[in-house]
Amino acid sequence: MTKGELFSKLFNVYSSETTRDWMTPEDIREIQIDRRVDNCIDDAGWIVFTGMDFSKGDDLNGSAFMCYNRYTGEFFGDMDVYMSEAAVNDSPIRELLLSWAKDGWLTIVPGKTFDPSWPVNRIIELDGKGVNFGAFGYDPYNAKVVVNAMSQWVFDIGLDPKKLILPVRQNFATYNPVVNEFDYMVKRSTDDGAGHQIPDPQIHLSRNPLWPYCFGCCTLQESNDGMGNVKPVKKDSSASTKVDPVQMLLSGLILYDTIEQTIVK
């Protein structure tokens, strides 16, 4: 990890102060549909690239699923996110978190710290339902325990963890291409035959209310190296600002772009 990445992670201090707006909650609500990753099974043409991110227990933890349909070319995003009971109780948006949990969009894990068995067991459950996982990407900053558990499961089913569980660094060079790609996928339009452009998004997201909330917490930070690269970061450092699912979803898209030629048929 570079010095800049370390300061970004620990202190929300960034090397560049140049930021610009990106997706609005309204942009995201327009592409939400009634579907879950549970429905994206291999028999229907889906392959799933999973981005994972884990805090030390005081924030959101979990997985975002970038699902690609090799028959139709459609993309779909879903998430499973978790917070410890202690973190929820200490949060300035406690009531909002509780409402998400009540509706099944957020899992509150009992205790003071996050138990990494939750996302691993969920992935095992989805695998049993016929979900075809193409790869798993993780931020190497704080993922050792979960990665070890995931690696053991992958090994137990006869596959090579080193080929399926891959580090995805949350830096400018990694994120810039997929930020622009995702922007196009959301805002794509097509001609209706009468000279009018109508929305034709290439990606949809689940109805999880954390999607518009978290995208609304994002801003694009520009690198200060003159290259104009961008990555999504928090608009501010308050405890109510959550962007982890956005970063996880983009990590899934990075995995798709990286290995689609070798495993997507």
Side-chain angles (χ1 to χ4, degrees):
M1 177 177 290
T2 67
K3 181 178 179 181
E5 289 173 329
L6 178 64
F7 272 76
S8 295
K9 276 288 182 184
L10 296 182
F11 308 114
N12 285 307
V13 175
Y14 302 97
S15 58
S16 167
E17 295 182 354
T18 303
T19 61
R20 57 183 170 88
D21 292 336
W22 189 31
M23 296 286 169
T24 67
E26 290 71 27
D27 291 330
I28 300 305
R29 291 188 185 102
E30 289 178 359
I31 63 168
Q32 290 186 282
I33 61 173
D34 294 321
R35 182 189 290 156
R36 295 302 310 270
V37 64
D38 306 66
N39 310 121
C40 297
I41 61 174
D42 186 42
D43 288 349
W46 292 99
I47 185 168
V48 179
F49 301 87
T50 305
M52 309 180 80
D53 197 298
F54 307 96
S55 74
K56 291 185 179 297
D58 60 350
D59 208 341
L60 290 173
N61 299 269
S63 311
F65 307 104
M66 178 62 77
C67 312
Y68 172 74
N69 193 300
R70 56 191 182 274
Y71 299 157
T72 67
E74 178 190 3
F75 289 85
F76 170 73
D78 196 9
M79 72 167 96
D80 285 321
V81 285
Y82 311 83
M83 283 186 75
S84 70
E85 184 178 24
V88 170
N89 289 335
D90 291 341
S91 174
I93 55 169
R94 176 178 179 274
E95 295 306 316
L96 184 57
L97 295 170
L98 290 175
S99 71
W100 290 338
K102 180 181 178 181
D103 292 337
W105 300 114
L106 168 70
T107 298
I108 299 176
V109 178
K112 295 182 178 180
T113 59
F114 172 66
D115 181 350
S117 67
W118 286 78
V120 177
N121 289 339
R122 170 63 169 156
I123 286 169
I124 294 172
E125 175 193 355
L126 290 170
D127 177 73
K129 290 182 176 181
V131 173
N132 179 16
F133 289 103
F136 303 91
Y138 65 94
D139 176 8
Y141 170 66
N142 189 45
K144 184 176 180 180
V145 174
V146 178
V147 169
N148 285 345
M150 284 291 301
S151 297
Q152 185 61 53
W153 170 66
V154 170
F155 180 80
D156 287 345
I157 61 175
L159 300 175
D160 185 352
K162 292 182 179 180
K163 293 182 179 180
L164 287 181
I165 305 174
L166 307 170
V168 179
R169 295 193 177 276
Q170 297 180 356
N171 55 30
F172 287 108
T174 303
Y175 271 143
N176 185 72
V178 292
V179 165
N180 296 323
E181 183 179 1
F182 187 82
D183 191 272
Y184 167 79
M185 292 163 69
V186 171
K187 300 177 181 178
R188 188 180 71 169
S189 62
T190 189
D191 193 296
D192 66 355
H196 304 107
Q197 291 294 313
I198 57 175
D200 183 26
Q202 191 179 6
I203 187 170
H204 292 90
L205 301 179
S206 65
R207 292 287 185 191
N208 195 322
L210 274 85
W211 284 129
Y213 182 89
C214 292
F215 273 97
C217 290
C218 276
T219 189
L220 290 182
Q221 179 196 359
E222 297 182 7
S223 62
N224 63 354
D225 57 5
M227 300 298 292
N229 290 329
V230 295
K231 67 177 182 179
V233 298
K234 295 180 178 182
K235 285 185 175 179
D236 57 65
S237 60
S238 72
S240 63
T241 304
K242 309 292 184 185
V243 301
D244 307 85
V246 176
Q247 296 169 337
M248 290 188 286
L249 188 66
L250 292 183
S251 293
L253 184 56
I254 289 165
L255 292 174
Y256 165 80
D257 286 342
T258 301
I259 61 181
E260 62 166 319
Q261 297 301 321
T262 60
I263 66 171
V264 178
K265 305 299 183 184

